[in-house]
Amino acid sequence: MNTAVQTSILPLPSDQDISGRTFGQEEIEAVTRALASGTLTSTKGEFTKQLEIQFAKYMDCLHAHACSSGSSALHTAVAAINPEPGEEIITTSITDMGALSAILYQGAVPRFADVDPRTYNVTAKSIESCISDRTRAIMVTHLFGNPCEMDEIVTLAAKHGIPILEDCAQAFLAEYKGRLVGSIGDIGCFSLQQGKHISTGEGGLVVSNDSDLARRMFLFINKAWGYGDANPDHYFLAPNYRMNELTSAVALAQLDKLDFSVSQRIHTADLLTAQLQGIDGLTTPTIHGQNKHTYWKYCLDVNPDVIPGGTLALGKLLKEQGVFCAPRYIQKPAFQCQVIRDKRTFGNSGFPFNLAAPEALDYSPELFPGTFEALARVLVLPWSERYEPKHVDYIGEVIRSSVERLLG
Ligand SMILES: *Cc1c(COP(=O)(O)O)cnc(C)c1O
């Protein structure tokens, strides 16, 4: 049997090291200036202030605040909404734990909405079935860089008078009908973790056009100390989630490269999409209307009724040929993770789940057909702004030949 489909493996850039990241002299100079200034705290320095001004401008939002991670950005957003214990925040079953810990730490209950099995995103329809008299906010995640269908979600939220938090950790510069995601809802949250579109290793940003929410977010990041006020105090319970000046210096240099990262990712993703047309059982990313998908990752839908073994079998062949990938993405829906399934939160209290309405904790698989279908079929390919046409050709060829092998 001839198994040597590809004779030699082409090493692919990885966003976990310099091969797939865009760090250079600009970051080195910025961080050197920050160090030389001797001021490394954002409460006194200039880099974090500059970053916030620049990012607000970039996002065309009135306010931006930097913080220590995407998870802390989301926690800050939830805290700004200030839910009462046991109130529900509607979120998605396919997301990062940082989005859910944000809700739980503020004593709110994550209420999981199902996703569209082709875009992996929540929809107005799936959100609507989760709305109750306890709903305090909707948190949407623009998964993989593909925008949620926001018009219907905004209409639904307005009808119920509840705010929208956008988790844009995977969706820098993604656009819904020409508008940047993160600027459509009430608060947008971003991550600068190692593997995002731009990076500082760890870091986060929040944006808002609402001055009251922005003020609360500024305070929350700063132990709720009223910096600059006539009679400052610690106004409410809040952690120190500040970004430090070294990180902000790197973030400023990275922000100059965001357009590059996004346009390169889109360019090479489009090349792969063109290359994969006409392969039985494979569907390239589903993008609605004129939306702009910014490809944090590149996802394929693998139809197991056509391709024997589905995404697991295809993923195995890809890995053997050096094409790293994640069949099934997070493997299981968020509500099946131990922390949520077993309510491992605060001591043995089960808080805040112990305050939840039973229907908010109903994780029966029948309620999540889109989620289970999505995870059963998705094949996630890492992506990077350093991918070149030769990498895409290699990936495309490996996928095509691997599907042929599985089809026998
Ligand atoms: C990365 C990510 C987060 C968390 O960001 P960190 O910076 O890793 O804390 C939250 N939500 C989503 C969708 C993410 O991809």
Side-chain angles (χ1 to χ4, degrees):
M1 197 173 97
N2 176 19
T3 51
V5 175
Q6 283 289 334
T7 46
S8 64
I9 288 176
L10 178 69
L12 297 173
S14 162
D15 63 16
Q16 299 303 297
D17 60 46
I18 198 62
S19 68
R21 299 278 48 179
T22 310
F23 299 124
Q25 215 46 47
E26 301 78 7
E27 285 75 11
I28 293 169
E29 275 165 21
V31 90
T32 303
R33 275 197 292 130
L35 261 180
S37 78
T39 305
L40 300 187
T41 170
S42 64
T43 58
K44 302 284 185 332
E46 286 305 316
F47 288 91
T48 307
K49 284 190 191 76
Q50 267 309 314
L51 173 65
E52 292 174 342
I53 291 167
Q54 296 296 333
F55 193 63
K57 218 185 264 175
Y58 220 105
M59 289 300 300
D60 202 15
C61 282
L62 288 176
H63 308 278
H65 292 295
C67 55
S68 56
S69 68
S71 301
S72 68
L74 287 153
H75 189 184
T76 298
V78 173
I81 298 299
N82 202 22
E84 294 299 324
E87 284 188 329
E88 296 166 8
I89 296 185
I90 298 173
T91 181
T92 168
S93 51
I94 304 182
T95 187
D96 184 276
M97 191 47 65
L100 305 175
S101 60
I103 296 170
L104 293 167
Y105 273 121
Q106 282 312 109
V109 173
R111 177 101 190 230
F112 294 98
D114 197 18
V115 302
D116 176 317
R118 291 299 168 272
T119 63
Y120 319 112
N121 281 333
V122 292
T123 63
K125 195 159 168 275
S126 72
I127 293 167
E128 187 161 30
S129 64
C130 295
I131 286 186
S132 77
D133 55 6
R134 296 180 178 215
T135 308
R136 189 53 200 266
I138 297 167
M139 182 192 282
V140 300
T141 301
H142 306 288
L143 208 68
F144 304 121
N146 198 6
C148 296
E149 287 298 289
M150 291 304 290
D151 277 350
E152 297 86 344
I153 296 173
V154 168
T155 304
L156 179 69
K159 185 174 133 196
H160 293 276
I162 46 182
I164 297 173
L165 315 178
E166 293 181 81
D167 181 351
C168 307
Q170 305 183 355
F172 272 106
L173 303 194
E175 290 177 16
Y176 172 74
K177 293 191 178 171
R179 295 167 69 196
L180 287 171
V181 303
S183 69
I184 301 169
D186 296 80
I187 297 173
C189 302
F190 296 82
S191 166
L192 295 168
Q193 178 261 354
Q194 175 76 38
K196 303 298 161 89
H197 287 82
I198 52 172
S199 178
T200 57
E202 307 290 352
L205 289 154
V206 290
V207 294
S208 184
N209 283 310
D210 182 313
S211 298
D212 293 335
L213 289 177
R215 168 75 178 160
R216 258 193 86 82
M217 292 198 286
F218 164 78
L219 288 169
F220 190 75
I221 290 165
N222 285 286
K223 301 179 234 179
W225 178 253
Y227 285 97
D229 290 0
N231 294 300
D233 196 352
H234 293 286
Y235 300 131
F236 53 84
L237 178 64
N240 173 357
Y241 273 165
R242 288 193 284 263
M243 184 176 278
N244 70 71
E245 290 284 280
L246 297 173
T247 301
S248 298
V250 175
L252 268 168
Q254 283 280 287
L255 196 54
D256 285 340
K257 301 176 181 180
L258 181 55
D259 278 326
F260 166 82
S261 175
V262 166
S263 60
Q264 281 301 305
R265 284 163 186 267
I266 294 173
H267 174 63
T268 49
D270 287 347
L271 291 178
L272 185 61
T273 296
Q275 205 173 329
L276 295 180
Q277 292 312 303
I279 299 181
D280 275 351
L282 272 195
T283 308
T284 53
T286 299
I287 306 167
H288 288 304
Q290 298 304 303
N291 292 350
K292 186 168 161 189
H293 184 328
T294 57
Y295 296 100
W296 177 59
K297 307 281 182 202
Y298 186 102
C299 293
L300 287 167
D301 174 79
V302 184
N303 184 348
D305 299 333
V306 177
I307 298 175
T311 185
L312 290 177
L314 182 57
K316 185 162 174 285
L317 288 184
L318 263 53
K319 284 180 201 168
E320 283 169 14
Q321 296 165 89
V323 176
F324 294 107
C325 56
R328 300 183 56 86
Y329 186 42
I330 55 172
Q331 309 304 314
K332 57 189 179 189
F335 50 75
Q336 289 183 350
C337 289
Q338 285 180 31
V339 48
I340 292 170
R341 190 194 62 199
D342 302 340
K343 307 181 178 60
R344 295 199 184 162
T345 49
F346 299 91
N348 291 316
S349 67
F351 177 85
F353 298 107
N354 59 341
L355 305 178
E359 59 273 22
L361 305 185
D362 186 353
Y363 307 140
S364 309
E366 320 73 275
L367 298 175
F368 301 93
T371 301
F372 285 96
E373 182 180 334
L375 294 177
R377 295 167 62 121
V378 69
L379 182 64
V380 182
L381 300 172
W383 216 244
S384 153
E385 70 276 11
R386 309 307 315 176
Y387 277 19
E388 295 171 20
K390 69 174 179 201
H391 302 119
V392 175
D393 285 347
Y394 178 77
I395 294 167
E397 206 29 65
V398 167
I399 292 172
R400 184 176 288 279
S401 60
S402 299
V403 171
E404 276 167 17
R405 277 167 74 187
L406 291 171
L407 290 174

